[in-house]
Amino acid sequence: GRREGALESGCGAVRCHWPPGVKDVRGLQFRGWKVAPLYSCCLDVKAGLDGWSSGARRKARKFGPEFDTGIESGVATEIIELVHEGYSRNGGTPPGQADLLAKAVHSLESAGLVECLTARQGDSLEAGIVLLHGPKASYYWMAGSNPGPAM
């Protein structure tokens, strides 16, 4: 449709992450797009740890008391640094330039569209997650951590 045409004429590459309800992307394939599935896990936050995998649940119960967790504002730059450090440790290329990502997150946070969840030990940020908020769901956008149990 119109959206695909605009993307095709103005971009060299596009990565689209559709919500779980979108199941048929053949229209994009017919237009010559390279399509690869990327499945999202949907969790009911009201279920708490019961909605997590057994390994994540076990780790959270074992190490959770060591961390102060919560929602913090103004920490996007620190979280993005953790994200980039993780890519560097593993020989990967981080997603975007840190300063531009931080500006985007701060703008979205000001508009109420982003929340940053953190895990701290004292004053040290050990892990952080940036969540994007949509009308019916929140989306795990990026996360970073120091090596260790906060991963």
Side-chain angles (χ1 to χ4, degrees):
R2 194 170 26 154
R3 184 178 353 177
E4 292 88 349
L7 290 172
E8 288 169 349
S9 66
C11 301
V14 177
R15 178 173 286 173
C16 298
H17 293 250
W18 303 107
V22 175
K23 295 184 179 7
D24 188 359
V25 293
R26 288 178 294 179
L28 297 171
Q29 286 177 306
F30 297 153
R31 291 179 72 100
W33 288 43
K34 178 181 170 191
V35 176
L38 176 63
Y39 297 101
S40 295
C41 177
C42 296
L43 299 175
D44 178 1
V45 294
K46 294 175 187 168
L49 293 180
D50 292 337
W52 296 17
S53 69
S54 61
R57 210 173 32 245
R58 201 171 24 258
K59 196 174 202 181
R61 288 186 177 128
K62 181 176 180 180
F63 296 107
E66 296 179 20
F67 298 94
D68 293 319
T69 59
I71 298 169
E72 291 187 54
S73 59
V75 295
T77 301
E78 290 178 84
I79 293 173
I80 292 166
E81 286 174 9
L82 289 174
V83 171
H84 280 241
E85 289 167 7
Y87 275 90
S88 294
R89 277 193 306 274
N90 295 298
T93 303
Q97 297 174 2
D99 59 334
L100 296 177
L101 279 172
K103 285 179 186 177
V105 171
H106 288 299
S107 293
L108 291 166
E109 188 175 40
S110 296
L113 298 172
V114 161
E115 275 186 335
C116 297
L117 282 65
T118 59
R120 292 187 178 273
Q121 284 185 319
D123 290 336
S124 174
L125 180 64
E126 294 298 313
I129 300 171
V130 178
L131 295 175
L132 286 172
H133 292 300
K136 295 182 181 180
S138 292
Y139 301 90
Y140 184 104
W141 183 10
M142 62 181 116
S145 68
N146 288 321
M151 288 181 111

